[in-house]
Amino acid sequence: MLPSLAQPLLLPRLASPTTAPLRAPIVAPRSASFPATPGLFASPLRAVVSQPGVKEMAPAPAAEQEGRPLRVGLVCGGPSAERGISLNSARSVLDHIQGEDLLVSCYYIDCGMNAFGISPAQLYSNTPSDFDFKLESLAQEFHSLTEFAEHLSANVDIVFPVIHGKFGEDGGIQELLEKTNVPFVGTASNECRRAFDKHNASLELNTKGFLTVPNFLVENDTLDKSKLEEWFRNTNLNKENGKVVVKPTRAGSSIGVVVAYGANEAAEKAEGIISEGIDDKVIIEVFLEGGCEFTAIVIDVGNSEPVVLLPTEVELQSFSNTDIEEDTIFNYRRKYLPTQQVAYHTPPRFPAEVIDCIRKGVSLLFQHFGLRDFARIDGWFLPTPATSLLSSENGGKFGNTEYGTVLFTDINLISGMEQTSFLFQQASKVGFSHSRILRTIVQHACSRFPSLVPRNNAWTALFREMQSAKQAEVIQNGTCKQKAFVIFGGDTSERQVSLMSGTNVWLNLQGFDDLDVTPCLLTPANGYSSSHNNDFSESSRDVWTLPYSLVLRHTTEEVCAACFEAIEPERVEITSRLRGQVMKELEQGLRKKDWFAGFDIADEQPTQYSLEQWINHVKEAKAVVFIAVHGGIGEDGTIQSLLESAGVPYTGPGPIASRTCMDKVATSLAVDHLASYGIHTIPKDVRLSEELVQTSRVDIWNELKAKLQTETVCVKPARDGCSTGVARLCCPEDLEVYTNALRRKLQRLPANCLSRAHGVIEMPVPPPESLIFEPYIETDEIIISNESRDDSSRHLVWKGEKEWLEITVGVVGKRGEMHSLNPSITVKESGDILSLEEKFQGGTGINLTPPPATIMSEAALQRCKSCIETMANTLGLEGFSRIDAFVNVRSGEVLLIEVNTVPGMTPSTVLIHQALTEEPPIYPHKFFRTLLDLAFERAN
């Protein structure tokens, strides 16, 4: 057994608060003064965004309008369960369309159909709950939707709706805008209504000669079991166990989509969807066994036929018996979360005739339904037609090919626009960056409105003037772009978060004209096909430099597989031919448009290097490396040492500080002498994993209780992050469950398998050599209460008995001069369990940055930040890091949990929240650029 560290810490106890629960109102984030590090955020922001508030602005005179930016109103949220996806889409659109020539104003519709004017900074809130809760204090509400529409009419040139599902795609927001003559991006209200209802759209497709999936409609409480059984017979399905798909007719993102077996189960699941309030119309469809799902983006180019981009094949895979419980359908989780159960292939691995059929069919549907600007259409390719489709009536319909059957099933009027969405995957394959495809869509929408033609022309002129000025500056100064490489991935359990972080950093840095940024994937030498239970040395790792389109995936395994696929000669030939065909169609449709700025993504191949070769390549390019590899060699000092030896500048702390902070025991020892500064450490007991497996768990449990003087223990890997393997143990049985998971090398612990309720716990792969046991620190939860008060608003309840809160806080700056950002505390809603969707899609819980003054005084907050800075400087941190700790809300003293030298950098990470509370707010583009500049400064 390894020695126990330190003596049990007696947490300082101050005067008790009042016994009544504290109800803390939320106030707008306070501004924070920035560090004494000169020029840390001195360079100007690339983007222009509107300021908070919704005050009316008089229309500018015509002469004045010629030189002003285009004003775009970005509207997100909505009443459907897809509003979390809507927030992610809005963040992405904001990041990529804003600029000096385009001014973005942001608006939000909540679940109750109330409209709000919000600041762009607010879009970076984590979850829908986080967002909704802060509306009260940070947004300005309109009295009605009519007032909202009138405001838009006076204050924006065009609206870009990014509301998915109800009120966004069913014609609701479109009808509101049409009544007040507000131009908007996308399809008109009547056409939205026709296309959004899956049952009505299917009937219309059938009458127009398209093959459709046989379906049965259930409305409200009108389900007739006998008619359903008759439908099963007519479609050659066994009424006892015939396989069908049950789904709402008017919902997107695969919400509510389930598989059922037999008429009885289908009826039950249909009634369940209705009773849950997802939709009052449900369709039961034949399950297309053996089929391949596809999706295709279509772009409106004006008078010509719309252009369908390269479709994407959605390949669903099964890896374990767990898939028996969850059928192979492209559901919400597989669509939006990191999972190895799905892979994308663009273009599809279908015969050329089938791809042509898909593209032709999508174009015809777009025109038939009168869609505008852009859309996404989903469908299936069946190499062997289903028995339910075999009839003389279907023989002459569109979709029959020599190689199988093509069916179209869903029309998405406002396709998802998250960073790695199908829109951007497919657009990047044919030469469009995120920014260019979005701006092309906006400009095409402007061209449809006669009143906006002069405005659109002025915007185009302003854009070209700015581009000419930038080119002239480059020529005059003789400057060339600085090369930067963003590396992410790796082989730890944190690799998927690393991919999200690296993608976000790369896309944000893309916006700077003086940078040439290359994304890079770190992998095991043989890819991810081999087991993750091996130990990898530096020599057994590869790095792929990636073309734009290959980054836009959900897992590192998928990116790696796409790299190998992309260099297969046959795939190279097929992709190149189809890419050329689509680009030619786009150019023919858009070249006559004065506003079309052309393509901006080159057709490149991925390149594979050994880690050593890659470092030499970076050195020769005189580049800087942005490290976004979480855990493993990304945080233990290995990559830092290799880069430093080669003289390559990089972001974040150096090798020694990284090595120290990766080891939680070493971190505690390094700051153990700072108690007089208000910095404390938690007592630890370190044990080998092998010892746990071989020794009596009851004996170990009793030893832990005695040494740590605690009844409840927190266990965590000694060298891992992102909360991997962190669990609360309350008894020997819990220790037994945890130890068995290590012994069996499980990737995760199921929810509620321990004695205290908990969610799914991701386990480190491979299992750690050693584990740390600590006393579980009890804190008072801050809970959102929905109990009615005089003002009927949601509010916080905090008892304040324990006096300690958990915080996370970013530190930024030069070595010895680190600056603490405002700390964040996490709140949970009473009775809610944080879903996996919210964890991955928008951070965790409701984050308050900084803590409200009613919970933590200004003096305690400043003491806390001072302690954090002292700790950061003592550990030798530089660039940026994140420190997790407990803080005493009375004194501001801190109790260290851990230090992350490569913290999460996903789109809604708390570091972004904290940077946005600086004065002035630091938006993501500038935040990541600052970290890159700090790396340059250190190297020089």
Side-chain angles (χ1 to χ4, degrees):
M1 183 180 72
L2 298 176
S4 178
L5 293 173
Q7 295 300 313
L9 174 69
L10 297 177
L11 303 183
R13 185 76 186 166
L14 301 181
S16 298
T18 56
T19 54
L22 177 72
R23 297 179 178 239
I26 294 297
V27 296
R30 294 168 296 200
S31 300
S33 56
F34 212 66
T37 306
L40 192 56
F41 286 104
S43 52
L45 280 171
R46 177 192 71 98
V48 175
V49 292
S50 67
Q51 295 303 310
V54 293
K55 65 181 181 180
E56 299 293 331
M57 296 182 292
E64 214 177 290
Q65 288 192 27
E66 288 184 10
R68 69 164 171 80
L70 185 76
R71 302 172 303 173
V72 176
L74 186 62
V75 184
C76 63
S80 82
E82 300 173 72
R83 68 187 184 283
I85 305 303
S86 173
L87 289 176
N88 293 336
S89 291
R91 270 194 291 266
S92 180
V93 172
L94 175 67
D95 281 344
H96 296 292
I97 67 169
Q98 62 186 358
E100 294 172 13
D101 61 328
L102 194 151
L103 181 68
V104 182
S105 300
C106 300
Y107 304 92
Y108 179 74
I109 309 289
D110 71 4
C111 292
M113 297 295 289
N114 302 299
F116 298 84
I118 61 174
S119 75
Q122 230 175 311
L123 278 182
Y124 296 95
S125 289
N126 279 1
T127 63
S129 295
D130 187 358
F131 196 93
D132 290 343
F133 184 61
K134 294 174 182 175
L135 282 174
E136 235 174 83
S137 57
L138 300 179
Q140 186 169 343
E141 184 175 2
F142 294 94
H143 293 104
S144 66
L145 288 177
T146 301
E147 182 190 9
F148 170 54
E150 291 170 350
H151 163 83
L152 292 174
S153 179
N155 289 275
V156 304
D157 298 313
I158 190 167
V159 168
F160 198 144
V162 241
I163 298 176
H164 304 308
K166 187 177 180 181
F167 194 66
E169 297 179 85
D170 62 1
I173 183 73
Q174 293 81 5
E175 184 176 11
L176 177 71
L177 297 172
E178 287 166 352
K179 286 180 178 178
T180 44
N181 296 314
V182 178
F184 59 90
V185 174
T187 299
S189 60
N190 286 335
E191 286 71 17
C192 281
R193 278 188 285 273
R194 283 173 58 208
F196 185 60
D197 187 301
K198 293 179 178 64
H199 182 255
N200 292 344
S202 176
L203 293 176
E204 195 162 338
L205 285 175
N206 188 54
T207 61
K208 293 297 179 182
F210 284 84
L211 283 171
T212 56
V213 184
N215 63 63
F216 182 88
L217 178 65
V218 180
E219 289 191 85
N220 297 319
D221 301 320
T222 59
L223 177 59
D224 186 325
K225 288 277 186 71
S226 61
K227 287 186 177 179
L228 178 59
E229 290 177 358
E230 182 183 351
W231 177 82
F232 264 74
R233 288 193 297 273
N234 292 340
T235 50
N236 300 314
L237 289 173
N238 187 311
K239 71 173 185 177
E240 302 299 329
N241 58 14
K243 193 173 181 181
V244 293
V245 176
V246 186
K247 58 186 178 182
T249 64
R250 294 166 298 191
S253 298
S254 301
I255 288 172
V257 179
V258 291
V259 169
Y261 293 86
N264 288 336
E265 188 178 352
E268 288 175 9
K269 293 194 173 181
E271 289 168 346
I273 291 172
I274 293 171
S275 65
E276 288 174 26
I278 297 174
D279 198 354
D280 57 8
K281 286 179 66 178
V282 176
I283 51 173
I284 299 170
E285 290 182 342
V286 172
F287 186 95
L288 299 174
E289 203 77 61
C292 299
E293 195 165 358
F294 65 80
T295 187
I297 297 291
V298 56
I299 302 296
D300 195 351
V301 293
N303 298 328
S304 308
E305 288 187 5
V307 176
V308 181
L309 307 185
L310 294 183
T312 298
E313 173 193 354
V314 180
E315 180 190 13
L316 298 178
Q317 304 166 329
S318 297
F319 288 97
S320 68
N321 292 333
T322 58
D323 288 328
I324 295 172
E325 298 176 8
E326 186 177 5
D327 275 280
T328 309
I329 57 173
F330 192 39
N331 58 19
Y332 185 97
R333 290 191 172 201
R334 286 179 173 138
K335 187 171 287 188
Y336 295 111
L337 305 183
T339 172
Q340 295 181 50
Q341 296 176 348
V342 63
Y344 303 120
H345 305 276
T346 308
R349 300 167 302 173
F350 303 158
E353 181 189 337
V354 174
I355 296 175
D356 289 343
C357 177
I358 290 170
R359 296 189 66 238
K360 181 179 179 182
V362 169
S363 177
L364 289 171
L365 289 183
F366 190 91
Q367 295 173 78
H368 171 72
F369 280 98
L371 310 186
R372 300 192 312 205
D373 299 331
F374 78 117
R376 195 188 85 232
I377 296 176
D378 304 336
W380 288 79
F381 167 56
L382 281 71
T384 304
T387 55
S388 56
L389 297 174
L390 297 175
S391 69
S392 56
E393 180 188 344
N394 287 334
K397 289 190 173 182
F398 184 92
N400 289 301
T401 75
E402 179 184 348
Y403 300 95
T405 305
V406 173
L407 302 102
F408 302 99
T409 55
D410 294 277
I411 301 172
N412 301 272
L413 287 312
I414 300 179
S415 176
M417 286 167 272
E418 297 178 292
Q419 288 182 340
T420 58
S421 67
F422 292 122
L423 172 63
F424 302 127
Q425 286 184 33
Q426 295 180 21
S428 63
K429 279 287 187 181
V430 294
F432 286 121
S433 66
H434 287 62
S435 176
R436 188 60 55 87
I437 188 63
L438 288 171
R439 281 170 166 251
T440 297
I441 289 169
V442 171
Q443 284 173 308
H444 181 272
C446 288
S447 69
R448 289 190 292 100
F449 295 92
S451 62
L452 279 183
V453 171
R455 176 71 255 131
N456 200 25
N457 292 340
W459 176 33
T460 302
L462 178 60
F463 174 76
R464 289 180 175 168
E465 182 183 327
M466 289 166 48
Q467 292 298 106
S468 298
K470 289 175 183 176
Q471 292 171 3
E473 184 180 356
V474 169
I475 295 172
Q476 182 178 350
N477 297 335
T479 57
C480 59
K481 290 188 175 186
Q482 170 63 53
K483 291 186 178 295
F485 290 77
V486 180
I487 186 168
F488 46 83
D491 47 58
T492 73
S493 55
E494 303 170 62
R495 63 190 181 277
Q496 312 306 358
V497 179
S498 173
L499 173 60
M500 296 166 70
S501 292
T503 301
N504 188 44
V505 170
W506 163 64
L507 286 172
N508 273 282
L509 293 178
Q510 284 273 114
F512 290 93
D513 297 317
D514 60 336
L515 293 179
D516 179 5
V517 190
T518 302
C520 306
L521 178 71
L522 175 69
T523 72
N526 297 318
Y528 290 97
S529 56
S530 56
S531 170
H532 287 290
N533 296 334
N534 301 321
D535 290 326
F536 299 104
S537 63
E538 298 89 74
S539 61
S540 65
R541 288 181 170 87
D542 287 344
V543 179
W544 290 84
T545 56
L546 304 172
Y548 197 111
S549 63
L550 289 194
V551 188
L552 308 179
R553 300 292 191 274
H554 290 103
T555 68
T556 54
E557 289 81 359
E558 191 192 342
V559 176
C560 186
C563 287
F564 284 109
E565 182 179 302
I567 58 178
E568 292 175 4
E570 185 178 349
R571 287 293 288 176
V572 170
E573 189 278 326
I574 292 171
T575 303
S576 178
R577 176 173 54 81
L578 289 172
R579 170 188 165 96
Q581 178 184 337
V582 174
M583 291 181 73
K584 182 179 179 181
E585 293 172 13
L586 286 165
E587 193 169 11
Q588 288 175 342
L590 294 172
R591 64 186 173 188
K592 295 180 181 179
K593 314 293 184 186
D594 289 339
W595 45 261
F596 180 52
F599 306 103
D600 59 344
I601 298 295
D603 185 16
E604 298 174 335
Q605 295 294 101
T607 304
Q608 185 179 18
Y609 300 89
S610 69
L611 180 56
E612 183 180 358
Q613 290 171 336
W614 178 76
I615 290 175
N616 290 332
H617 173 62
V618 174
K619 181 179 180 180
E620 290 172 5
K622 298 180 179 178
V624 64
V625 173
F626 198 117
I627 301 173
V629 178
H630 302 315
I633 69 169
E635 287 194 78
D636 68 4
T638 301
I639 286 182
Q640 291 81 357
S641 293
L642 293 171
L643 292 172
E644 203 156 284
S645 297
V648 175
Y650 57 88
T651 56
I656 296 174
S658 297
R659 196 174 303 119
T660 299
C661 294
M662 182 70 167
D663 187 326
K664 297 177 179 68
V665 176
T667 308
S668 290
L669 291 173
V671 299
D672 198 40
H673 63 289
L674 298 177
S676 62
Y677 292 89
I679 298 167
H680 308 281
T681 58
I682 303 173
K684 294 174 171 56
D685 188 83
V686 185
R687 295 180 182 248
L688 296 173
S689 298
E690 185 179 349
E691 176 196 350
L692 292 180
V693 175
Q694 297 175 352
T695 310
S696 163
R697 257 68 81 191
V698 173
D699 291 345
I700 292 176
W701 181 257
N702 290 332
E703 289 177 16
L704 290 172
K705 284 175 60 180
K707 289 191 174 184
L708 299 176
Q709 297 184 19
T710 184
E711 293 297 320
T712 307
V713 170
C714 180
V715 61
K716 61 183 73 172
R719 297 167 61 84
D720 228 317
C722 291
S723 299
T724 304
V726 179
R728 180 181 185 179
L729 309 180
C730 301
C731 57
E733 290 74 21
D734 286 349
L735 182 58
E736 182 76 35
V737 171
Y738 192 90
T739 303
N740 285 338
L742 294 175
R743 180 175 53 79
R744 296 168 59 193
K745 299 178 180 178
L746 298 182
Q747 294 189 12
R748 59 191 59 85
L749 279 176
N752 302 322
C753 66
L754 302 174
S755 57
R756 289 289 295 263
H758 63 86
V760 174
I761 298 173
E762 299 292 330
M763 296 296 285
V765 179
E769 291 183 6
S770 57
L771 294 162
I772 292 175
F773 293 89
E774 301 173 342
Y776 184 84
I777 306 299
E778 295 280 356
T779 61
D780 280 325
E781 290 175 340
I782 302 175
I783 298 173
I784 294 178
S785 172
N786 292 309
E787 293 177 9
S788 179
R789 298 195 307 177
D790 292 341
D791 57 5
S792 299
S793 60
R794 304 165 82 201
H795 54 281
L796 298 180
V797 174
W798 179 61
K799 294 181 180 179
E801 294 175 353
K802 304 290 194 305
E803 300 180 359
W804 291 86
L805 289 177
E806 187 171 349
I807 60 168
T808 186
V809 56
V811 288
V812 182
K814 299 176 182 178
R815 186 171 181 177
E817 301 176 9
M818 296 298 282
H819 165 75
S820 170
L821 302 176
N822 279 312
S824 300
I825 58 175
T826 301
V827 183
K828 77 169 189 177
E829 288 193 84
S830 180
D832 281 356
I833 296 174
L834 189 65
S835 68
L836 182 64
E837 284 79 7
E838 290 191 337
K839 276 186 179 178
F840 277 97
Q841 283 301 297
T844 55
I846 295 175
N847 285 302
L848 302 180
T849 309
T854 45
I855 291 177
M856 189 175 184
S857 69
E858 181 66 24
L861 175 63
Q862 294 307 320
R863 174 83 187 282
C864 168
K865 293 173 69 173
S866 175
C867 290
I868 293 294
E869 289 170 357
T870 299
M871 197 185 312
N873 292 330
T874 301
L875 290 167
L877 302 181
E878 53 190 315
F880 74 117
S881 295
R882 195 191 78 225
I883 296 176
D884 297 336
F886 296 100
V887 62
N888 187 294
V889 296
R890 310 298 175 195
S891 67
E893 295 186 17
V894 298
L895 183 61
L896 174 64
I897 299 174
E898 64 182 21
V899 179
N900 298 274
T901 53
V902 185
M905 292 167 276
T906 59
S908 58
T909 177
V910 291
L911 290 182
I912 299 300
H913 297 196
Q914 292 169 10
L916 287 166
T917 65
E918 295 294 317
E919 183 57 48
I922 311 303
Y923 282 84
H925 297 81
K926 188 59 199 166
F927 181 70
F928 294 125
R929 178 58 189 264
T930 298
L931 305 183
L932 202 65
D933 290 344
L934 283 168
F936 279 122
E937 288 184 33
R938 179 172 63 190
N940 294 330

